[in-house]
Amino acid sequence: MRQSSQYGDRVQRRVRFIQLLREKLTKAKEELDTLEHIQAAVGVVHKNLQNFQAEVPAFYVWGENIGTTEVLLQNIRCQLEESISEGKALSTKTKERYRTSQQLLPSDISEQLTSLELLSETISGAMEEKDRELKRARTVRGDFKRDVDEVQNWLQKAELKVQDRSIEPVQLKEYLAQIQSEIGSISDKLDCLTKNGNVICGQINDAEEKE
């Protein structure tokens, strides 16, 4: 009878051991699945950010239609911010999960999240630089167009005054004096538009516009 009881105890211990082993295996599988899911999610965000890392610096902002360029860059900015926010949320959620379960964050996951954060900062900096470049392009093109219009208008008016054969010599002399007094400011505008024109030519890709 005693031998039968001992045998029963051994069986129960083995059953409990098998159950405990199964529980540990199930938990290990769940943790592995979670780890793989996190790595996959980080990989997706990282790939998206890498695409932006190539797209943002290469984005052309010196096109003639600044309005269209601004809209396109704004679309890229919104998509980038969405990816960065997704990465931040993933990082926060992952760290909180391991902290709550009182587990150390796996080193490979920690490295991937750190890499994601650094990449986000790098691309954010590139986006800010592209915004500054667009602002410069808008200013340079705006100043260039304004100066071209003003110089052309001045030349047309000056030409009409000089070529008007119906005016008296005294009036013509006054016109010439007025034109002479305005040449200084017009020369300054010519210098500015020449400088801005050279900047634009050095940046644009459109061969026809360069001509």
Side-chain angles (χ1 to χ4, degrees), residues 178-191:
Q178 180 184 359
I179 291 171
Q180 184 66 37
S181 67
E182 294 172 349
I183 285 179
S185 62
I186 293 300
S187 296
D188 292 339
K189 291 185 183 298
L190 280 171
D191 290 340

Side-chain angles (χ1 to χ4, degrees), residues 7 28-29 56 71 103 105-107 116 129 134 137 199 201-202 206:
Y7 177 77
K29 184 178 183 305
V56 171
V71 171
Q103 291 179 301
L105 186 66
S107 59
L116 202 63
E129 179 62 30
L134 175 60
V199 171
C201 285
D206 192 336

Side-chain angles (χ1 to χ4, degrees), residues 61-75:
V61 299
W62 286 90
E64 191 170 5
N65 194 332
I66 292 293
T68 299
T69 301
E70 289 177 334
V71 171
L72 293 174
L73 187 60
Q74 176 64 23
N75 289 338

Side-chain angles (χ1 to χ4, degrees), residues 30-49:
E30 290 175 352
E31 291 178 353
L32 181 60
D33 289 343
T34 299
L35 189 64
E36 290 177 346
H37 175 75
I38 293 172
Q39 289 178 321
V42 171
V44 170
V45 177
H46 195 274
K47 181 176 177 57
N48 289 339
L49 290 177

Side-chain angles (χ1 to χ4, degrees), residues 51-146:
N51 291 337
F52 285 116
Q53 190 177 26
E55 182 179 8
V56 171
F59 185 81
Y60 180 62
V61 299
W62 286 90
E64 191 170 5
N65 194 332
I66 292 293
T68 299
T69 301
E70 289 177 334
V71 171
L72 293 174
L73 187 60
Q74 176 64 23
N75 289 338
I76 293 176
R77 184 185 299 106
C78 289
Q79 294 171 22
L80 173 59
E81 290 175 352
E82 184 178 343
S83 291
I84 290 176
S85 295
E86 185 179 353
K88 288 181 178 179
L90 178 60
S91 178
T92 300
K93 182 179 179 180
T94 300
K95 292 176 181 178
E96 180 64 19
R97 179 188 182 280
Y98 281 93
R99 187 192 67 78
T100 302
S101 61
Q102 296 183 339
Q103 291 179 301
L104 290 176
L105 186 66
S107 59
D108 52 346
I109 293 294
S110 178
E111 291 174 1
Q112 289 178 337
L113 292 177
T114 299
S115 176
L116 202 63
E117 292 169 2
L118 292 175
L119 184 57
S120 296
E121 291 176 3
T122 298
I123 302 173
S124 293
M127 190 74 237
E128 291 175 1
E129 179 62 30
K130 189 58 62 175
D131 285 335
R132 287 191 290 270
E133 186 181 357
L134 175 60
K135 183 177 180 180
R136 179 169 181 252
R138 186 194 307 115
T139 299
V140 170
R141 276 194 172 278
D143 290 348
F144 178 77
K145 185 178 184 307
R146 184 197 64 228

Side-chain angles (χ1 to χ4, degrees), residues 151-170:
V151 170
Q152 286 180 340
N153 289 335
W154 181 85
L155 288 173
Q156 290 173 358
K157 291 179 180 178
E159 187 176 5
L160 288 174
K161 289 178 180 179
V162 172
Q163 292 180 350
D164 187 357
R165 302 303 180 187
S166 65
I167 61 175
E168 298 294 330
V170 175

